[in-house]
C-alpha cells in the first residue's frame, strides 16, 4: 500500500474517531439537558398539584368519593402528561391516566419518604414520572406527575440523524483532502526518486534539484546530493587508480617485451642472453611487487578484516626489518641507528607492520645521501590523549618538496614521477603505509626536518578499540 494511501486512510480514520466521539458527547449532553429540563417541569407540576390539593383542603372539604378526574383508562391526556393522586396504600384518588396505580408499592413507599423520579411505560410509551408526598383532606397522599419522553427521544433521534448526515460526508471529504495533500507533499519525493533512478556511473555529475522549501524533503535532497558527491569522488578516484595502475604496468611490461625480443634475435651471445634474462627477471619482480601492492591496497580498503593480529614487541619487529635492509644500506654506505623502547608492545599484524617499516626504510635509503645515517625510533607516547606506539624514520636527504607533502600518502603519487619510474618506484609505498596504519586504527604522517631530510612516522594505538580487539581475538590462527 502506498504511503499516500496509508496517510489518507489514517487521516480518515482519525477524523471518523473524532467526529464519532464528538457526536456521542453531544448526544449525551443533549439527553442530559433535556432530561434535566423535563425533571424541572415535572417538579414544578408536582408542586402545583400539591398546592392545589392543599388549597382544596382549606377552601372546600374534599369529597370522600375520591374525585377521579381524567377518567381515560390507560390513556394520555392531550399533552402527553399524566397526573395521579394516590393514597400511600395505592388507592387512586385522582387520575388523568386511568384507574390503575402508576406506582408500585415499593415506589409508593419511597415517594412517601421523600420524592422520587422514575421512568415507566404507559401504552408502550416511555413516561418520566415524579412522585412526592402531599396532603389532601387532612390525609397524607402521594402526588405523581408524568410526561412522555417522546419529545426528548425525537430530539435525540433527529440530532443523531443530523450528525450522521453531516459527519459521514465530512469524513469522506476530509479523507479525500488528506489523500490530495499527501500526494502534493510527496510529489517532490517522487520526482527525486525518478531523477535518482536515472543517475548511473555515466552521468555521475547529475544532482537532485533541492526544493526551496527548507523542509525535510529539501534536507533529504541535500543529503542525497552529498552522497552523490562522495560517490562521484570515490568513482573518480577508483578510475584514476585503474588508469595509474595500467600506466605503471605498461612500463615494465614494455621493457620486458623489448628484452625478450632482443634475446630472441638470432646470433645473440651468451652474455647478451644472460643480461636480457636478468633484466627480464628484474622487470617481472617489479611487476609482481606492483600487483602485490595493488592487491594489498584493495584489501586494506575493506578495513581491519584482512589483518592477522597478535601481540607484538615492536622493537624486535623493527630491529628485524633493519637487519633485512642492512645489505641495501651497505651498498650505499649508509648507516642505520635504532633507538627502541623494548617495552613497546601492541596488538597488530606482524607481516603488515614489517611492510610499513620496510617501505619507510626503502624510501629513506633511496633518498639519504651516501655516508649519512638513517635514524629509526620506536617509543610509546600519547596522541590526542590516547597512548600510542610510534615508529619514526628520519634521513638526511633532500626531504619532501613542500608542495608534495600533503599528497605524499596518496596512491601513485611521486615527487619526481619520471625519475622515480626509472628507479622502479610506483608511488604505492607510502599509500600502503597509511592504509596499513589506518587498518590498525592508527595513522601515518610526514614532515621535513628543519635541518633538512625527511621525517616520516606512524602511530599505532596501544589499546585498539573494542571492535579492533574483536578482530584481534577472532583472527584465524
Ligand atoms: N625519505 C624521503 N625523502 C624524500 N622524498 C621521499 C621520501 N620518501 C618518499 N619520498 C617521496 O614520496 C614519493 C612517494 O613515496 P612512495 O614510497 O609512496 O613511493 P615510491 O617510493 O616512489 O614507490 P614505491 O614505494 O611504490 O616503490 C616518492 O616518490 C618520493 O618522491
Ligand atoms: Mg617507497
Amino acid at each position: 500500500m502506498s504511503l499516500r494511501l496509508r496517510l489518507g486512510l489514517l487521516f480518515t480514520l482519525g477524523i471518523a474517531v473524532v467526529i464519532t466521539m464528538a457526536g456521542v458527547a453531544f448526544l449525551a449532553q443533549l439527553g442530559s439537558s433535556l432530561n434535566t429540563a423535563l425533571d424541572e417541569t415535572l417538579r414544578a407540576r408536582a408542586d402545583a398539584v400539591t398546592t392545589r390539593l392543599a388549597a382544596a383542603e382549606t377552601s372546600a372539604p374534599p369529597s370522600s368519593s375520591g374525585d377521579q378526574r381524567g377518567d381515560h383508562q390507560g390513556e394520555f391526556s392531550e399533552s402527553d402528561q399524566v397526573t395521579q393522586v394516590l393514597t400511600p396504600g395505592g388507592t387512586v384518588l385522582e387520575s388523568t391516566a386511568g384507574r390503575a396505580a402508576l406506582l408500585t408499592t415499593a415506589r409508593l413507599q419511597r415517594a412517601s419518604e421523600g420524592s422520587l423520579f422514575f421512568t415507566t411505560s404507559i401504552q408502550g410509551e416511555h413516561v418520566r414520572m415524579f412522585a412526592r408526598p402531599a396532603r389532601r383532606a387532612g390525609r397524607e397522599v402521594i402526588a405523581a406527575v408524568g410526561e412522555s419522553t417522546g419529545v426528548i427521544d425525537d430530539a435525540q433521534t433527529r440530532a443523531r440523524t443530523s450528525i450522521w448526515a453531516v459527519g459521514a460526508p465530512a469524513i469522506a471529504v476530509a479523507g479525500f483532502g488528506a489523500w490530495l495533500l499527501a500526494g502534493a507533499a510527496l510529489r517532490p519525493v517522487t520526482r527525486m526518486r525518478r531523477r535518482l533512478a536515472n543517475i548511473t556511473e555515466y552521468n555521475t555529475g547529475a544532482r537532485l534539484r533541492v526544493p526551496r522549501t527548507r523542509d525535510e524533503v529539501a534536507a533529504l535532497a541535500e543529503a542525497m546530493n552529498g552522497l552523490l558527491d562522495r560517490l562521484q569522488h570515490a568513482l573518480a578516484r577508483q578510475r584514476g587508480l585503474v588508469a595509474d595502475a595500467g600506466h605503471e604496468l605498461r612500463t615494465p611490461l614494455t621493457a620486458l617485451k623489448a628484452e625478450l625480443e632482443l634475446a630472441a634475435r638470432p646470433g645473440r651471445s651468451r652474455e647478451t642472453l644472460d643480461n636480457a634474462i636478468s633484466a627480464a627477471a628484474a622487470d617481472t619482480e617489479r611487476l609482481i611487487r606492483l600487483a602485490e601492492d595493488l592487491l594489498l591496497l584493495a584489501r586494506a580498503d575493506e578495513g581491519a578484516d584482512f589483518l592477522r593480529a597478535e601481540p607484538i614487541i615492536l622493537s624486535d619487529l623493527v630491529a628485524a626489518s633493519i637487519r633485512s635492509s642492512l645489505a641495501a644500506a651497505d651498498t650505499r654506505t649508509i648507516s642505520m641507528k635504532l633507538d627502541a623502547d623494548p617495552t613497546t608492545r601492541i596488538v597488530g599484524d606482524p607481516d603488515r607492520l614489517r611492510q610499513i617499516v620496510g617501505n619507510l626504510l626503502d624510501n629513506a635509503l633511496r633518498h639519504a645521501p651516501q655516508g649519512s645515517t638513517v635514524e629509526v625510533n620506536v617509543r610509546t607516547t600519547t596522541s590526542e590523549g590516547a597512548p600510542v606506539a610510534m615508529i619514526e624514520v628520519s634521513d638526511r636527504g633532500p626531504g619532501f618538496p613542500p608542495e608534495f607533502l600533503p599528497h605524499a600518502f596518496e596512491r601513485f603519487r611521486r615527487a619526481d614521477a619520471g625519475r622515480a619510474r626509472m628507479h622502479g618506484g610506483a608511488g604505492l609505498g607510502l599509500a600502503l603505509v597509511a592504509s596499513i596504519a589506518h587498518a590498525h586504527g592508527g595513522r601515518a604522517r610526514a614532515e621535513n626536518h628543519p635541518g633538512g631530510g625527511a621525517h616520516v612516522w606512524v602511530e599505532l594505538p596501544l589499546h585498539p578499540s573494542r571492535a579492533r580487539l574483536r578482530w584481534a581475538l577472532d583472527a584465524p590462527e
Side-chain angles (χ1 to χ4, degrees), residues 29-46:
Q29 182 66 35
L30 180 72
S32 154
S33 309
L34 290 173
N35 279 330
T36 308
L38 182 61
D39 287 355
E40 289 301 317
T41 313
L42 289 177
R43 212 184 278 273
R45 276 183 50 213

Side-chain angles (χ1 to χ4, degrees), residues 195 198-207 228 232 235 239:
R195 181 115 177 98
N198 286 328
I199 297 178
T200 65
E201 69 267 39
Y202 301 110
N203 60 342
T204 50
R207 293 290 175 271
L228 288 173
Q232 185 187 18
L235 194 64
R239 284 174 175 163

Side-chain angles (χ1 to χ4, degrees), residues 289-290 293 359-360 362-368 393-395 397-401 404 407-417 419-421 423-433 448 453-456:
R289 208 188 123 203
L290 191 61
D293 284 357
N359 284 1
L360 295 184
D362 178 55
N363 283 353
L365 292 177
R366 206 182 282 172
H367 294 91
V393 177
S394 305
D395 63 66
F400 296 91
F404 175 76
H407 308 287
F409 291 95
E410 290 174 14
R411 295 166 190 195
F412 294 114
R413 280 291 195 137
R414 287 168 301 217
D416 179 355
R419 198 185 70 90
R421 194 168 292 143
H423 288 75
L428 287 178
L430 287 181
L432 267 171
V433 168
N448 287 325
H455 175 213
V456 187

Side-chain angles (χ1 to χ4, degrees), residues 206-394:
R207 293 290 175 271
L208 298 179
R209 205 165 54 79
V210 180
R212 285 204 209 117
T213 42
R214 291 175 176 274
D215 56 7
E216 289 83 351
V217 177
L220 178 66
E222 270 167 17
M224 284 286 187
N225 282 343
L227 174 68
L228 288 173
D229 283 345
R230 291 193 293 280
L231 288 179
Q232 185 187 18
H233 187 70
L235 194 64
R237 212 170 73 118
Q238 215 65 36
R239 284 174 175 163
L241 272 182
V242 173
D244 285 341
H247 204 64
E248 290 302 325
L249 285 168
R250 204 174 55 185
T251 313
L253 280 173
T254 313
L256 192 60
K257 186 173 168 240
E259 280 142 12
L260 291 175
E261 279 171 359
L262 199 71
R265 278 190 199 161
R268 298 291 98 194
S269 68
R270 172 83 201 175
E271 194 191 350
T272 321
L273 272 177
D274 281 353
N275 285 344
I277 287 172
S278 56
D283 280 327
T284 311
E285 180 70 28
R286 209 169 131 194
L287 280 167
I288 291 171
R289 208 188 123 203
L290 191 61
E292 279 173 354
D293 284 357
L294 281 170
L295 248 171
L296 195 65
L297 273 171
R299 290 177 59 206
D301 282 346
E302 290 164 14
D305 289 348
F306 84 109
L307 298 173
R308 288 166 155 259
E310 59 185 66
I312 293 167
I313 299 171
L314 210 51
S315 56
D316 291 354
L317 184 139
V318 174
S321 293
I322 288 177
R323 274 195 296 277
S324 313
S325 301
L326 276 178
D330 273 353
T331 54
R332 299 205 54 220
T333 56
I334 296 170
S335 51
M336 290 202 271
K337 186 178 150 217
L338 171 65
D339 184 358
D341 174 357
T343 61
T344 307
R345 294 160 180 270
I346 63 158
V347 174
D349 184 330
D351 288 342
R352 301 292 152 248
L353 293 176
R354 261 193 289 275
Q355 203 160 3
I356 284 188
V357 183
N359 284 1
L360 295 184
L361 290 178
D362 178 55
N363 283 353
L365 292 177
R366 206 182 282 172
H367 294 91
Q370 286 199 342
S372 67
T373 304
V374 169
E375 288 172 28
V376 183
N377 255 301
V378 177
R379 61 194 167 99
T380 306
T381 178
T382 53
S383 171
E384 293 171 357
V388 293
M390 187 135 110
I391 307 170
E392 294 171 282
V393 177
S394 305

Side-chain angles (χ1 to χ4, degrees), residues 5 7 21 95 128 136 170 291 296 310 388 412 421-422:
L5 194 60
L7 281 172
M21 277 166 56
S95 178
R128 179 84 169 153
R136 181 180 187 270
L296 195 65
E310 59 185 66
V388 293
F412 294 114
R421 194 168 292 143
M422 295 287 289

Side-chain angles (χ1 to χ4, degrees), residues 153-166:
D153 293 344
D154 282 354
Q156 277 183 315
T157 307
R158 274 199 303 277
R160 204 173 295 127
T161 312
S162 305
I163 289 171
W164 266 115
V166 175

